[in-house]
Amino acid sequence: MSDNGSNGAGVRTALVIGGGVAGPVTALALRKAGITATVYEAYPTAADGVGAWLGLAPNGLAGLAVVGADAAVRAAGQPVPGMVMADGAGNRLAGFGGFPELPATLAMPRDRLFRALTDHAVAEGVRFVYDKRLVAAEETTHGVTAHFADGTSATGDILIGADGIRSAVRTVIDPQAPAPEYGGVLSFGGYAAADGGFDVEPGAMYFAFGRAFMGYWRAPDRLIWFAGLPADTPPSPADVAQTPAAEWLARLRELYAGHIPGEQLLRHTRPDDLMVVGRMERMPSVPHWHRGRMVLVGDAVHAPSSSSGQGASLAIESAVELARCLRDLPTPGEAFAAYERLRRPRVEAIGRNAAAVNRIKAGKSEHAPAFPAPEEMLRPLHFHRIEWEEKVTVDVSA
């Protein structure tokens, strides 16, 4: 199928709510399917300075290649092809150098990924409108009308909720939709001085489990780490933001005392270099992915939590799959149903696995962490592909 070809669902225009990862990719994929999409973002400007670091796996990069955005994103990331599994006593349990036939996983700040995707989409002709916070949406005789907090509205043939884990579109589709599920851990990241005597192999992501969990890798000029602080009752986002970084760092140092190399990494981290991410959350199973001419994509419907390493990659996959279904099936309802059937089993399995990891990080698991061979664990994740050129049929199965 070529760019701007005809689509089977008769959809010409789409309102995409949310300009993070899923929004721009959805708009690009729709454009490839012959649908003009406008992205409406709640914030006044592009999301600069948002969030900590994330990983973009080979399957996510393959999805970006479908819409021509892979080169732009590669330029924004740091390749981290390998991984090392260890325990908190410093014992190496397993190692993996990556699949030679696949590109390396990329690590990058979340806002850098947002910016790369937004800039690429704009260059391809996608329109972004900022300071448009959705407050309501309704189906009309002409399609769907979105109403925004500033009193304006917009109408399109379909409306796509790409508005993240606290999606407004999700509650429009189903007022009884579940809320995000807290994983029992507060998430933090930070930068440690690279001259602290750390034995960290460049190009490898380390995962050290034990009484507490820490992940880390080496950048050219420093070490980057991410860790969790178990909390049965999490503080509110306001309380998290108001707590001084030095206080959080002191609590982390107490928790990671004796952890290898967590204790040393935190000792070489300054309060100014701490990233307070907040609650580790995931979406439980969402009963209704779509209603009428409205549908959800990305974290709005299947956020798996950062423990999966797949949040951004799954959002990209789903954006491409949704556009493919709209391209090939005769009505939006049939396209949305096929999209859900194709995506739900994969994303929910990954989400359940991430929830199990969260329980280990929170110290709530009754079982010691199991360490399957990395190749076995990663193969079904990293080799998954959305086959754009294959036609979707109504009788698709998961």
Side-chain angles (χ1 to χ4, degrees):
M1 300 288 177
S2 60
D3 289 2
N4 298 317
S6 60
N7 64 84
V11 174
R12 299 180 304 277
T13 60
L15 313 177
V16 178
I17 309 300
V21 173
V25 180
T26 299
L28 286 164
L30 290 173
R31 180 180 180 277
K32 190 176 178 73
I35 300 168
T36 300
T38 301
V39 179
Y40 295 88
E41 169 56 51
Y43 289 99
T45 61
D48 293 323
V50 173
W53 284 66
L54 55 73
L56 191 60
N59 52 300
L61 288 168
L64 291 179
V66 171
V67 298
D70 52 326
V73 170
R74 288 181 200 279
Q78 174 192 341
V80 187
M83 65 181 297
V84 174
M85 308 292 284
D87 63 20
N91 300 306
R92 182 180 176 125
L93 303 175
F96 178 56
F99 295 104
E101 60 268 57
L102 295 181
T105 290
L106 296 179
M108 68 191 75
R110 182 179 295 272
D111 63 342
R112 193 178 298 171
L113 176 59
F114 288 0
R115 173 55 65 188
L117 290 173
T118 299
D119 288 350
H120 179 77
V122 169
E124 292 296 311
V126 175
R127 178 171 172 250
F128 286 72
V129 185
Y130 292 96
D131 207 9
K132 297 294 180 182
R133 185 173 298 278
L134 185 82
V135 293
E138 58 184 347
E139 291 200 43
T140 70
T141 55
H142 302 292
V144 183
T145 297
H147 298 282
F148 302 106
D150 63 359
T152 62
S153 62
T155 298
D157 293 331
I158 59 173
L159 183 147
I160 299 170
D163 50 342
I165 197 168
R166 286 175 174 76
S167 171
V169 179
R170 186 172 63 239
T171 57
V172 170
I173 289 174
D174 177 12
Q176 304 304 315
E181 176 183 278
Y182 172 57
V185 178
L186 299 176
S187 294
F188 297 85
Y191 303 109
D195 58 357
F198 298 99
D199 183 18
V200 180
E201 179 182 334
M205 183 84 69
Y206 287 72
F207 300 89
F209 288 86
R211 181 173 52 86
F213 164 83
M214 178 171 279
Y216 54 99
W217 71 99
R218 180 180 291 278
D221 59 341
R222 54 190 171 177
L223 288 149
I224 304 168
W225 58 264
F226 54 96
L229 184 66
D232 289 338
T233 304
S236 69
D239 288 340
V240 169
Q242 291 169 8
T243 301
E247 182 177 329
W248 287 126
L249 193 55
R251 291 177 63 181
L252 287 164
R253 286 171 174 167
E254 180 181 2
L255 175 66
Y256 284 86
H259 184 284
I260 299 175
E263 180 176 351
Q264 191 179 4
L265 283 167
L266 290 163
R267 186 185 306 129
H268 286 81
T269 300
R270 303 176 305 166
D272 288 349
D273 289 329
L274 183 70
M275 293 176 280
V276 183
V277 182
R279 304 180 186 190
M280 183 174 288
E281 296 177 312
R282 64 179 288 266
M283 280 307 301
S285 181
V286 174
H288 303 290
W289 285 34
H290 55 91
R291 176 171 64 83
R293 290 176 170 266
M294 296 179 284
V295 67
L296 300 169
V297 69
D299 280 359
V301 69
H302 56 62
S305 101
S306 58
S307 293
S308 70
Q310 280 284 314
S313 295
L314 291 182
I316 291 164
E317 286 181 359
S318 289
V320 175
E321 192 71 277
L322 175 60
R324 179 171 164 257
C325 291
L326 285 164
R327 179 196 68 191
D328 291 346
L329 295 177
T331 67
E334 288 174 289
F336 295 162
Y339 153 72
E340 179 181 349
R341 290 195 300 269
L342 286 164
R343 294 300 295 159
R344 186 187 281 273
R346 174 172 168 83
V347 300
E348 291 198 348
I350 292 170
R352 288 191 297 270
N353 289 339
V357 174
N358 289 347
R359 287 192 290 273
I360 293 170
K361 292 180 179 180
K364 300 298 183 182
S365 176
E366 297 178 359
H367 307 286
F371 297 100
E375 297 95 328
E376 176 185 330
M377 178 176 64
L378 296 176
R379 183 170 291 277
L381 298 176
H382 289 186
F383 277 86
H384 187 82
R385 297 293 179 269
I386 306 299
E387 299 296 343
W388 179 264
E389 298 299 334
E390 291 185 6
K391 184 176 177 61
V392 181
T393 57
V394 174
D395 61 346
V396 291
S397 59

